[in-house]
Short mmCIF file of all heavy atoms in Angstrom, two decimals:
data_model
loop_
_atom_site.label_atom_id
_atom_site.label_comp_id
_atom_site.label_asym_id
_atom_site.label_seq_id
_atom_site.Cartn_x
_atom_site.Cartn_y
_atom_site.Cartn_z
N MET A 195 0.85 -1.19 0.00
CA MET A 195 0.00 0.00 0.00
C MET A 195 0.88 1.24 0.00
O MET A 195 1.83 1.35 0.77
CB MET A 195 -0.92 -0.03 1.21
CG MET A 195 -1.85 1.12 1.27
SD MET A 195 -3.09 0.83 2.56
CE MET A 195 -4.21 2.08 2.14
N ASN A 196 0.54 2.20 -0.82
CA ASN A 196 1.30 3.42 -0.95
C ASN A 196 0.92 4.39 0.16
O ASN A 196 -0.24 4.76 0.31
CB ASN A 196 1.05 4.05 -2.32
CG ASN A 196 2.01 5.16 -2.64
OD1 ASN A 196 2.69 5.68 -1.77
ND2 ASN A 196 2.07 5.51 -3.90
N GLN A 197 1.90 4.85 0.93
CA GLN A 197 1.65 5.78 2.03
C GLN A 197 1.97 7.23 1.66
O GLN A 197 1.94 8.10 2.51
CB GLN A 197 2.48 5.36 3.25
CG GLN A 197 2.11 4.00 3.78
CD GLN A 197 0.66 3.92 4.24
OE1 GLN A 197 0.14 4.86 4.82
NE2 GLN A 197 0.01 2.81 3.95
N ASP A 198 2.31 7.49 0.42
CA ASP A 198 2.64 8.83 -0.04
C ASP A 198 1.40 9.73 0.08
O ASP A 198 0.34 9.43 -0.46
CB ASP A 198 3.12 8.76 -1.49
CG ASP A 198 3.70 10.05 -2.02
OD1 ASP A 198 3.29 11.14 -1.55
OD2 ASP A 198 4.56 9.98 -2.91
N TRP A 199 1.53 10.85 0.80
CA TRP A 199 0.40 11.74 1.04
C TRP A 199 -0.22 12.29 -0.25
O TRP A 199 -1.40 12.61 -0.29
CB TRP A 199 0.81 12.91 1.95
CG TRP A 199 1.85 13.81 1.34
CD1 TRP A 199 3.20 13.68 1.42
CD2 TRP A 199 1.62 14.96 0.53
NE1 TRP A 199 3.84 14.68 0.72
CE2 TRP A 199 2.89 15.49 0.17
CE3 TRP A 199 0.48 15.62 0.08
CZ2 TRP A 199 3.04 16.63 -0.62
CZ3 TRP A 199 0.63 16.75 -0.71
CH2 TRP A 199 1.90 17.25 -1.05
N ARG A 200 0.57 12.35 -1.33
CA ARG A 200 0.05 12.88 -2.59
C ARG A 200 -0.99 11.97 -3.22
O ARG A 200 -1.71 12.38 -4.12
CB ARG A 200 1.19 13.11 -3.57
CG ARG A 200 2.18 14.16 -3.13
CD ARG A 200 3.35 14.22 -4.03
NE ARG A 200 4.03 12.92 -4.01
CZ ARG A 200 5.01 12.58 -4.83
NH1 ARG A 200 5.45 13.42 -5.74
NH2 ARG A 200 5.57 11.39 -4.74
N TYR A 201 -1.05 10.73 -2.74
CA TYR A 201 -1.97 9.75 -3.32
C TYR A 201 -3.06 9.31 -2.35
O TYR A 201 -3.71 8.30 -2.56
CB TYR A 201 -1.18 8.55 -3.86
CG TYR A 201 -0.20 8.98 -4.93
CD1 TYR A 201 1.15 9.13 -4.64
CD2 TYR A 201 -0.64 9.29 -6.21
CE1 TYR A 201 2.04 9.56 -5.62
CE2 TYR A 201 0.24 9.73 -7.19
CZ TYR A 201 1.58 9.86 -6.89
OH TYR A 201 2.45 10.30 -7.85
N SER A 202 -3.26 10.10 -1.31
CA SER A 202 -4.35 9.80 -0.38
C SER A 202 -5.68 10.00 -1.12
O SER A 202 -5.73 10.64 -2.18
CB SER A 202 -4.29 10.71 0.84
OG SER A 202 -4.60 12.05 0.48
N GLU A 203 -6.73 9.48 -0.55
CA GLU A 203 -8.05 9.62 -1.17
C GLU A 203 -8.41 11.09 -1.35
O GLU A 203 -8.91 11.51 -2.41
CB GLU A 203 -9.11 8.92 -0.33
CG GLU A 203 -10.47 8.89 -0.98
CD GLU A 203 -11.47 8.07 -0.20
OE1 GLU A 203 -11.07 7.09 0.45
OE2 GLU A 203 -12.66 8.42 -0.27
N GLU A 204 -8.12 11.90 -0.35
CA GLU A 204 -8.42 13.33 -0.42
C GLU A 204 -7.63 14.01 -1.54
O GLU A 204 -8.18 14.82 -2.29
CB GLU A 204 -8.07 13.98 0.91
CG GLU A 204 -8.27 15.47 0.94
CD GLU A 204 -7.80 16.09 2.26
OE1 GLU A 204 -7.37 15.37 3.17
OE2 GLU A 204 -7.86 17.33 2.34
N ARG A 205 -6.37 13.67 -1.67
CA ARG A 205 -5.52 14.27 -2.70
C ARG A 205 -5.91 13.81 -4.10
O ARG A 205 -5.86 14.58 -5.05
CB ARG A 205 -4.05 13.93 -2.44
CG ARG A 205 -3.52 14.62 -1.23
CD ARG A 205 -3.33 16.03 -1.61
NE ARG A 205 -3.44 16.93 -0.51
CZ ARG A 205 -3.31 18.23 -0.65
NH1 ARG A 205 -3.07 18.75 -1.80
NH2 ARG A 205 -3.42 19.01 0.37
N MET A 206 -6.31 12.56 -4.24
CA MET A 206 -6.76 12.07 -5.53
C MET A 206 -8.07 12.76 -5.93
O MET A 206 -8.29 13.07 -7.09
CB MET A 206 -6.93 10.55 -5.51
CG MET A 206 -5.61 9.81 -5.33
SD MET A 206 -4.38 10.18 -6.59
CE MET A 206 -5.07 9.30 -7.98
N ARG A 207 -8.92 13.02 -4.95
CA ARG A 207 -10.17 13.74 -5.22
C ARG A 207 -9.87 15.17 -5.67
O ARG A 207 -10.48 15.67 -6.61
CB ARG A 207 -11.05 13.76 -3.96
CG ARG A 207 -12.45 14.21 -4.22
CD ARG A 207 -13.37 14.05 -3.01
NE ARG A 207 -13.24 12.76 -2.36
CZ ARG A 207 -12.77 12.58 -1.11
NH1 ARG A 207 -12.42 13.62 -0.39
NH2 ARG A 207 -12.69 11.38 -0.59
N LEU A 208 -8.90 15.84 -5.01
CA LEU A 208 -8.51 17.19 -5.42
C LEU A 208 -7.94 17.17 -6.83
O LEU A 208 -8.26 18.03 -7.65
CB LEU A 208 -7.49 17.78 -4.44
CG LEU A 208 -6.93 19.15 -4.82
CD1 LEU A 208 -8.05 20.20 -4.94
CD2 LEU A 208 -5.88 19.58 -3.82
N ARG A 209 -7.10 16.19 -7.12
CA ARG A 209 -6.51 16.07 -8.47
C ARG A 209 -7.64 15.97 -9.50
O ARG A 209 -7.61 16.62 -10.55
CB ARG A 209 -5.60 14.85 -8.53
CG ARG A 209 -4.84 14.71 -9.81
CD ARG A 209 -3.92 13.49 -9.78
NE ARG A 209 -2.67 13.82 -9.14
CZ ARG A 209 -2.27 13.37 -7.94
NH1 ARG A 209 -3.04 12.57 -7.24
NH2 ARG A 209 -1.11 13.72 -7.44
N ALA A 210 -8.65 15.16 -9.21
CA ALA A 210 -9.78 15.00 -10.13
C ALA A 210 -10.57 16.30 -10.25
O ALA A 210 -10.98 16.68 -11.35
CB ALA A 210 -10.69 13.88 -9.65
N ASP A 211 -10.77 17.00 -9.13
CA ASP A 211 -11.50 18.27 -9.17
C ASP A 211 -10.78 19.30 -10.03
O ASP A 211 -11.39 20.02 -10.81
CB ASP A 211 -11.68 18.83 -7.75
CG ASP A 211 -12.65 18.02 -6.90
OD1 ASP A 211 -13.39 17.18 -7.46
OD2 ASP A 211 -12.65 18.24 -5.67
N VAL A 212 -9.45 19.36 -9.89
CA VAL A 212 -8.65 20.28 -10.69
C VAL A 212 -8.77 19.92 -12.17
O VAL A 212 -8.97 20.79 -13.02
CB VAL A 212 -7.17 20.27 -10.23
CG1 VAL A 212 -6.28 21.01 -11.21
CG2 VAL A 212 -7.05 20.85 -8.83
N PHE A 213 -8.67 18.64 -12.46
CA PHE A 213 -8.75 18.19 -13.85
C PHE A 213 -10.11 18.54 -14.46
O PHE A 213 -10.17 19.08 -15.57
CB PHE A 213 -8.51 16.68 -13.95
CG PHE A 213 -8.54 16.19 -15.35
CD1 PHE A 213 -7.43 16.30 -16.17
CD2 PHE A 213 -9.70 15.63 -15.89
CE1 PHE A 213 -7.46 15.87 -17.48
CE2 PHE A 213 -9.75 15.21 -17.19
CZ PHE A 213 -8.62 15.32 -17.99
N VAL A 214 -11.18 18.26 -13.76
CA VAL A 214 -12.52 18.54 -14.28
C VAL A 214 -12.70 20.04 -14.50
O VAL A 214 -13.18 20.47 -15.55
CB VAL A 214 -13.61 17.98 -13.34
CG1 VAL A 214 -14.98 18.50 -13.70
CG2 VAL A 214 -13.59 16.46 -13.36
N LEU A 215 -12.29 20.83 -13.54
CA LEU A 215 -12.43 22.28 -13.64
C LEU A 215 -11.68 22.81 -14.86
O LEU A 215 -12.24 23.58 -15.65
CB LEU A 215 -11.92 22.95 -12.37
CG LEU A 215 -12.10 24.45 -12.33
CD1 LEU A 215 -13.30 24.78 -11.47
CD2 LEU A 215 -10.86 25.11 -11.76
N LEU A 216 -10.44 22.41 -15.01
CA LEU A 216 -9.63 22.92 -16.11
C LEU A 216 -10.02 22.34 -17.46
O LEU A 216 -9.95 23.01 -18.48
CB LEU A 216 -8.14 22.66 -15.84
CG LEU A 216 -7.54 23.44 -14.69
CD1 LEU A 216 -6.12 22.98 -14.43
CD2 LEU A 216 -7.60 24.94 -14.94
N SER A 217 -10.42 21.08 -17.47
CA SER A 217 -10.71 20.44 -18.75
C SER A 217 -11.93 21.03 -19.43
O SER A 217 -12.03 20.99 -20.66
CB SER A 217 -10.87 18.93 -18.58
OG SER A 217 -11.99 18.62 -17.80
N LYS A 218 -12.83 21.60 -18.67
CA LYS A 218 -14.01 22.23 -19.27
C LYS A 218 -13.62 23.34 -20.25
O LYS A 218 -14.29 23.55 -21.25
CB LYS A 218 -14.92 22.80 -18.18
CG LYS A 218 -15.61 21.74 -17.37
CD LYS A 218 -16.45 22.36 -16.28
CE LYS A 218 -17.09 21.27 -15.43
NZ LYS A 218 -17.86 21.83 -14.31
N LYS A 219 -12.52 24.02 -19.96
CA LYS A 219 -12.12 25.15 -20.78
C LYS A 219 -10.85 24.89 -21.59
O LYS A 219 -10.69 25.41 -22.69
CB LYS A 219 -11.90 26.37 -19.89
CG LYS A 219 -11.62 27.65 -20.63
CD LYS A 219 -11.62 28.83 -19.69
CE LYS A 219 -11.36 30.13 -20.44
NZ LYS A 219 -11.38 31.27 -19.52
N TYR A 220 -9.97 24.05 -21.06
CA TYR A 220 -8.64 23.93 -21.66
C TYR A 220 -8.31 22.57 -22.26
O TYR A 220 -7.21 22.40 -22.79
CB TYR A 220 -7.57 24.27 -20.62
CG TYR A 220 -7.66 25.68 -20.13
CD1 TYR A 220 -8.24 25.97 -18.90
CD2 TYR A 220 -7.20 26.73 -20.90
CE1 TYR A 220 -8.33 27.27 -18.45
CE2 TYR A 220 -7.29 28.04 -20.46
CZ TYR A 220 -7.86 28.30 -19.23
OH TYR A 220 -7.95 29.59 -18.80
N PHE A 221 -9.19 21.59 -22.16
CA PHE A 221 -8.82 20.27 -22.66
C PHE A 221 -8.86 20.23 -24.17
O PHE A 221 -9.87 20.49 -24.81
CB PHE A 221 -9.74 19.18 -22.11
CG PHE A 221 -9.29 17.81 -22.51
CD1 PHE A 221 -8.29 17.18 -21.80
CD2 PHE A 221 -9.81 17.17 -23.62
CE1 PHE A 221 -7.84 15.91 -22.17
CE2 PHE A 221 -9.37 15.92 -24.00
CZ PHE A 221 -8.38 15.29 -23.27
N THR A 222 -7.70 19.93 -24.74
CA THR A 222 -7.57 19.63 -26.16
C THR A 222 -6.55 18.51 -26.24
O THR A 222 -5.83 18.23 -25.27
CB THR A 222 -7.04 20.84 -26.96
OG1 THR A 222 -5.71 21.15 -26.50
CG2 THR A 222 -7.93 22.06 -26.83
N LEU A 223 -6.48 17.84 -27.37
CA LEU A 223 -5.47 16.79 -27.50
C LEU A 223 -4.07 17.36 -27.32
O LEU A 223 -3.19 16.73 -26.73
CB LEU A 223 -5.59 16.09 -28.85
CG LEU A 223 -6.81 15.19 -29.01
CD1 LEU A 223 -6.85 14.59 -30.42
CD2 LEU A 223 -6.81 14.09 -27.97
N LYS A 224 -3.88 18.58 -27.78
CA LYS A 224 -2.57 19.23 -27.66
C LYS A 224 -2.21 19.50 -26.19
O LYS A 224 -1.07 19.39 -25.79
CB LYS A 224 -2.58 20.54 -28.44
CG LYS A 224 -1.27 21.28 -28.41
CD LYS A 224 -1.34 22.55 -29.22
CE LYS A 224 -0.03 23.31 -29.13
NZ LYS A 224 -0.09 24.57 -29.85
N ASN A 225 -3.20 19.84 -25.37
CA ASN A 225 -2.97 20.18 -23.97
C ASN A 225 -3.13 19.01 -23.01
O ASN A 225 -2.88 19.18 -21.82
CB ASN A 225 -3.94 21.28 -23.52
CG ASN A 225 -3.49 22.65 -23.92
OD1 ASN A 225 -2.33 22.87 -24.21
ND2 ASN A 225 -4.43 23.58 -23.93
N SER A 226 -3.56 17.87 -23.45
CA SER A 226 -3.92 16.79 -22.52
C SER A 226 -2.75 16.38 -21.62
O SER A 226 -2.92 16.27 -20.41
CB SER A 226 -4.48 15.59 -23.27
OG SER A 226 -3.54 15.08 -24.17
N LYS A 227 -1.57 16.20 -22.18
CA LYS A 227 -0.41 15.80 -21.37
C LYS A 227 -0.09 16.90 -20.36
O LYS A 227 0.16 16.61 -19.19
CB LYS A 227 0.79 15.54 -22.26
CG LYS A 227 2.05 15.15 -21.51
CD LYS A 227 3.19 14.87 -22.49
CE LYS A 227 4.44 14.46 -21.77
NZ LYS A 227 5.29 15.59 -21.45
N ASN A 228 -0.10 18.14 -20.80
CA ASN A 228 0.19 19.25 -19.91
C ASN A 228 -0.85 19.36 -18.80
O ASN A 228 -0.51 19.67 -17.65
CB ASN A 228 0.24 20.56 -20.68
CG ASN A 228 1.34 20.58 -21.71
OD1 ASN A 228 2.40 20.00 -21.50
ND2 ASN A 228 1.10 21.23 -22.82
N LEU A 229 -2.09 19.10 -19.12
CA LEU A 229 -3.15 19.17 -18.13
C LEU A 229 -2.96 18.10 -17.05
O LEU A 229 -3.04 18.41 -15.85
CB LEU A 229 -4.51 19.01 -18.81
CG LEU A 229 -5.75 19.12 -17.94
CD1 LEU A 229 -5.78 20.44 -17.19
CD2 LEU A 229 -7.00 18.99 -18.80
N TYR A 230 -2.68 16.88 -17.44
CA TYR A 230 -2.44 15.81 -16.47
C TYR A 230 -1.23 16.13 -15.59
O TYR A 230 -1.27 15.96 -14.37
CB TYR A 230 -2.22 14.47 -17.17
CG TYR A 230 -3.49 13.82 -17.62
CD1 TYR A 230 -3.88 13.82 -18.96
CD2 TYR A 230 -4.33 13.17 -16.72
CE1 TYR A 230 -5.04 13.23 -19.38
CE2 TYR A 230 -5.50 12.57 -17.13
CZ TYR A 230 -5.86 12.60 -18.46
OH TYR A 230 -7.02 12.00 -18.87
N GLU A 231 -0.15 16.61 -16.21
CA GLU A 231 1.06 16.92 -15.45
C GLU A 231 0.81 18.08 -14.48
O GLU A 231 1.27 18.05 -13.35
CB GLU A 231 2.20 17.25 -16.40
CG GLU A 231 2.71 16.05 -17.14
CD GLU A 231 3.75 16.37 -18.20
OE1 GLU A 231 4.02 17.57 -18.47
OE2 GLU A 231 4.30 15.41 -18.76
N PHE A 232 0.07 19.09 -14.93
CA PHE A 232 -0.22 20.21 -14.06
C PHE A 232 -1.05 19.78 -12.86
O PHE A 232 -0.78 20.22 -11.73
CB PHE A 232 -0.96 21.32 -14.83
CG PHE A 232 -1.34 22.46 -13.94
CD1 PHE A 232 -0.43 23.45 -13.65
CD2 PHE A 232 -2.60 22.51 -13.37
CE1 PHE A 232 -0.77 24.50 -12.79
CE2 PHE A 232 -2.95 23.54 -12.51
CZ PHE A 232 -2.04 24.55 -12.22
N CYS A 233 -2.04 18.94 -13.07
CA CYS A 233 -2.87 18.46 -11.95
C CYS A 233 -2.01 17.74 -10.91
O CYS A 233 -2.18 17.95 -9.71
CB CYS A 233 -3.98 17.54 -12.46
SG CYS A 233 -5.22 18.39 -13.45
N HIS A 234 -1.11 16.91 -11.37
CA HIS A 234 -0.21 16.22 -10.45
C HIS A 234 0.66 17.24 -9.70
O HIS A 234 0.81 17.17 -8.47
CB HIS A 234 0.67 15.23 -11.20
CG HIS A 234 1.73 14.63 -10.33
ND1 HIS A 234 1.44 13.65 -9.41
CD2 HIS A 234 3.04 14.90 -10.22
CE1 HIS A 234 2.55 13.33 -8.77
NE2 HIS A 234 3.53 14.08 -9.24
N ASP A 235 1.22 18.19 -10.42
CA ASP A 235 2.08 19.20 -9.79
C ASP A 235 1.30 20.03 -8.78
O ASP A 235 1.81 20.35 -7.70
CB ASP A 235 2.70 20.12 -10.84
CG ASP A 235 3.72 19.41 -11.71
OD1 ASP A 235 4.14 18.28 -11.36
OD2 ASP A 235 4.10 19.98 -12.76
N TRP A 236 0.08 20.40 -9.11
CA TRP A 236 -0.75 21.22 -8.23
C TRP A 236 -0.92 20.53 -6.88
O TRP A 236 -0.75 21.14 -5.83
CB TRP A 236 -2.10 21.48 -8.89
CG TRP A 236 -3.02 22.35 -8.10
CD1 TRP A 236 -4.04 21.95 -7.30
CD2 TRP A 236 -3.00 23.78 -8.03
NE1 TRP A 236 -4.67 23.04 -6.74
CE2 TRP A 236 -4.04 24.18 -7.17
CE3 TRP A 236 -2.21 24.76 -8.61
CZ2 TRP A 236 -4.31 25.52 -6.88
CZ3 TRP A 236 -2.47 26.09 -8.32
CH2 TRP A 236 -3.52 26.45 -7.47
N VAL A 237 -1.24 19.26 -6.92
CA VAL A 237 -1.43 18.50 -5.69
C VAL A 237 -0.09 18.29 -4.98
O VAL A 237 0.01 18.47 -3.76
CB VAL A 237 -2.11 17.15 -5.98
CG1 VAL A 237 -2.11 16.25 -4.75
CG2 VAL A 237 -3.54 17.38 -6.47
N SER A 238 0.94 17.95 -5.71
CA SER A 238 2.26 17.67 -5.13
C SER A 238 2.88 18.89 -4.46
O SER A 238 3.70 18.75 -3.56
CB SER A 238 3.21 17.15 -6.21
OG SER A 238 2.74 15.93 -6.71
N GLN A 239 2.49 20.08 -4.90
CA GLN A 239 3.02 21.31 -4.31
C GLN A 239 2.28 21.68 -3.02
O GLN A 239 2.57 22.71 -2.43
CB GLN A 239 2.96 22.45 -5.32
CG GLN A 239 3.91 22.26 -6.47
CD GLN A 239 3.70 23.26 -7.58
OE1 GLN A 239 2.80 24.10 -7.53
NE2 GLN A 239 4.52 23.17 -8.61
N GLY A 240 1.32 20.87 -2.63
CA GLY A 240 0.65 21.10 -1.36
C GLY A 240 -0.61 21.93 -1.42
O GLY A 240 -1.19 22.24 -0.38
N ASN A 241 -1.05 22.29 -2.62
CA ASN A 241 -2.30 23.04 -2.72
C ASN A 241 -3.44 22.17 -2.20
O ASN A 241 -3.46 20.97 -2.42
CB ASN A 241 -2.56 23.44 -4.18
CG ASN A 241 -1.55 24.44 -4.66
OD1 ASN A 241 -1.54 25.57 -4.20
ND2 ASN A 241 -0.66 24.03 -5.55
N GLN A 242 -4.37 22.80 -1.49
CA GLN A 242 -5.45 22.04 -0.86
C GLN A 242 -6.82 22.32 -1.44
O GLN A 242 -7.79 21.67 -1.08
CB GLN A 242 -5.45 22.29 0.63
CG GLN A 242 -4.17 21.81 1.28
CD GLN A 242 -4.16 22.00 2.77
OE1 GLN A 242 -5.15 22.40 3.37
NE2 GLN A 242 -3.05 21.70 3.39
N THR A 243 -6.90 23.31 -2.34
CA THR A 243 -8.17 23.65 -2.98
C THR A 243 -7.91 23.95 -4.45
O THR A 243 -6.77 23.94 -4.91
CB THR A 243 -8.82 24.89 -2.33
OG1 THR A 243 -8.03 26.05 -2.64
CG2 THR A 243 -8.98 24.74 -0.83
N THR A 244 -8.98 24.28 -5.16
CA THR A 244 -8.85 24.67 -6.56
C THR A 244 -8.72 26.19 -6.71
O THR A 244 -8.66 26.68 -7.83
CB THR A 244 -10.06 24.18 -7.38
OG1 THR A 244 -11.26 24.74 -6.83
CG2 THR A 244 -10.15 22.66 -7.39
N ASP A 245 -8.65 26.90 -5.61
CA ASP A 245 -8.53 28.36 -5.66
C ASP A 245 -7.28 28.77 -6.42
O ASP A 245 -6.18 28.32 -6.09
CB ASP A 245 -8.49 28.96 -4.25
CG ASP A 245 -9.78 28.79 -3.48
OD1 ASP A 245 -10.81 28.46 -4.11
OD2 ASP A 245 -9.77 28.96 -2.25
N GLY A 246 -7.45 29.59 -7.44
CA GLY A 246 -6.33 30.10 -8.21
C GLY A 246 -5.77 29.14 -9.25
O GLY A 246 -4.78 29.45 -9.91
N VAL A 247 -6.42 28.01 -9.42
CA VAL A 247 -5.87 26.98 -10.30
C VAL A 247 -5.89 27.40 -11.77
O VAL A 247 -4.96 27.10 -12.51
CB VAL A 247 -6.56 25.61 -10.08
CG1 VAL A 247 -7.96 25.59 -10.66
CG2 VAL A 247 -5.72 24.49 -10.65
N GLU A 248 -6.93 28.09 -12.18
CA GLU A 248 -7.00 28.47 -13.60
C GLU A 248 -5.88 29.45 -13.95
O GLU A 248 -5.21 29.29 -14.98
CB GLU A 248 -8.36 29.07 -13.93
CG GLU A 248 -8.52 29.31 -15.41
CD GLU A 248 -9.94 29.70 -15.82
OE1 GLU A 248 -10.87 29.58 -15.02
OE2 GLU A 248 -10.09 30.13 -16.98
N GLU A 249 -5.66 30.43 -13.12
CA GLU A 249 -4.59 31.39 -13.36
C GLU A 249 -3.23 30.69 -13.38
O GLU A 249 -2.37 30.98 -14.20
CB GLU A 249 -4.60 32.49 -12.30
CG GLU A 249 -5.84 33.37 -12.34
CD GLU A 249 -7.02 32.78 -11.56
OE1 GLU A 249 -6.87 31.73 -10.88
OE2 GLU A 249 -8.11 33.36 -11.63
N ALA A 250 -3.04 29.76 -12.45
CA ALA A 250 -1.77 29.02 -12.38
C ALA A 250 -1.58 28.16 -13.62
O ALA A 250 -0.46 28.04 -14.12
CB ALA A 250 -1.74 28.16 -11.12
N PHE A 251 -2.65 27.58 -14.13
CA PHE A 251 -2.53 26.74 -15.32
C PHE A 251 -2.17 27.58 -16.55
O PHE A 251 -1.34 27.17 -17.36
CB PHE A 251 -3.82 25.96 -15.57
CG PHE A 251 -3.72 25.02 -16.73
CD1 PHE A 251 -2.85 23.93 -16.70
CD2 PHE A 251 -4.51 25.19 -17.86
CE1 PHE A 251 -2.75 23.05 -17.78
CE2 PHE A 251 -4.42 24.32 -18.93
CZ PHE A 251 -3.53 23.25 -18.89
N VAL A 252 -2.76 28.74 -16.67
CA VAL A 252 -2.44 29.63 -17.79
C VAL A 252 -0.96 30.01 -17.73
O VAL A 252 -0.25 29.97 -18.75
CB VAL A 252 -3.35 30.88 -17.79
CG1 VAL A 252 -2.86 31.92 -18.78
CG2 VAL A 252 -4.79 30.49 -18.10
N LYS A 253 -0.46 30.36 -16.55
CA LYS A 253 0.97 30.68 -16.39
C LYS A 253 1.83 29.47 -16.73
O LYS A 253 2.89 29.60 -17.35
CB LYS A 253 1.25 31.15 -14.97
CG LYS A 253 0.75 32.53 -14.69
CD LYS A 253 1.08 32.93 -13.28
CE LYS A 253 0.49 34.30 -12.96
NZ LYS A 253 0.78 34.71 -11.59
N TYR A 254 1.39 28.30 -16.32
CA TYR A 254 2.12 27.05 -16.62
C TYR A 254 2.22 26.85 -18.12
O TYR A 254 3.30 26.56 -18.65
CB TYR A 254 1.41 25.88 -15.95
CG TYR A 254 1.93 24.53 -16.31
CD1 TYR A 254 3.12 24.04 -15.76
CD2 TYR A 254 1.25 23.71 -17.21
CE1 TYR A 254 3.61 22.79 -16.09
CE2 TYR A 254 1.73 22.46 -17.55
CZ TYR A 254 2.90 22.01 -16.98
OH TYR A 254 3.38 20.76 -17.32
N LEU A 255 1.12 27.02 -18.83
CA LEU A 255 1.13 26.86 -20.28
C LEU A 255 2.06 27.87 -20.94
O LEU A 255 2.79 27.53 -21.87
CB LEU A 255 -0.28 27.00 -20.87
CG LEU A 255 -1.26 25.88 -20.59
CD1 LEU A 255 -2.63 26.21 -21.18
CD2 LEU A 255 -0.75 24.56 -21.15
N GLU A 256 2.03 29.10 -20.47
CA GLU A 256 2.91 30.13 -21.02
C GLU A 256 4.39 29.80 -20.77
O GLU A 256 5.24 30.08 -21.61
CB GLU A 256 2.57 31.50 -20.42
CG GLU A 256 1.24 32.02 -20.89
CD GLU A 256 0.78 33.27 -20.15
OE1 GLU A 256 1.46 33.68 -19.18
OE2 GLU A 256 -0.27 33.82 -20.53
N SER A 257 4.68 29.21 -19.63
CA SER A 257 6.07 28.90 -19.28
C SER A 257 6.66 27.75 -20.07
O SER A 257 7.88 27.65 -20.19
CB SER A 257 6.19 28.60 -17.79
OG SER A 257 5.67 27.30 -17.49
N ILE A 258 5.82 26.89 -20.62
CA ILE A 258 6.34 25.73 -21.36
C ILE A 258 6.34 25.94 -22.86
O ILE A 258 6.78 25.08 -23.60
CB ILE A 258 5.58 24.44 -21.00
CG1 ILE A 258 4.10 24.55 -21.33
CG2 ILE A 258 5.79 24.07 -19.55
CD1 ILE A 258 3.33 23.28 -21.18
N LYS A 259 5.87 27.08 -23.32
CA LYS A 259 5.86 27.36 -24.76
C LYS A 259 7.23 27.73 -25.25
O LYS A 259 8.07 28.22 -24.64
CB LYS A 259 4.86 28.46 -25.08
CG LYS A 259 3.44 27.99 -24.97
CD LYS A 259 2.49 29.06 -25.42
CE LYS A 259 1.07 28.53 -25.31
NZ LYS A 259 0.10 29.48 -25.70
#
């Protein structure tokens, strides 16, 4: 069993919430890999809510171009 806090039930739920929120506006085949990676990073950085996630994702996309 994995004891890593990033994969707790609560964290996996947050990861899903972030993905659903962002995918409504930003999901394309071109962005899919970036979207999955961003969701993982968002949770791994200790964020506990979706507050500010859209702005952070836009900055993330700009930084990888």
Side-chain angles (χ1 to χ4, degrees):
M195 182 170 193
N196 192 344
Q197 297 299 322
D198 189 331
W199 64 271
R200 296 172 300 171
Y201 299 102
S202 69
E203 186 174 328
E204 177 184 357
R205 291 285 152 180
M206 294 302 286
R207 192 173 314 115
L208 176 59
R209 186 178 276 110
D211 290 346
V212 169
F213 182 82
V214 168
L215 184 101
L216 292 174
S217 66
K218 289 178 183 177
K219 186 172 181 179
Y220 297 102
F221 186 82
T222 63
L223 289 178
K224 181 179 178 183
N225 279 340
S226 61
K227 179 178 181 269
N228 298 326
L229 183 56
Y230 281 104
E231 289 174 353
F232 177 83
C233 292
H234 173 76
D235 292 347
W236 182 261
V237 171
S238 296
Q239 292 171 358
N241 293 292
Q242 297 182 6
T243 69
T244 59
D245 294 345
V247 73
E248 187 171 348
E249 295 85 5
F251 184 65
V252 169
K253 286 181 184 179
Y254 172 77
L255 289 177
E256 290 171 355
S257 75
I258 60 173
K259 287 185 179 179

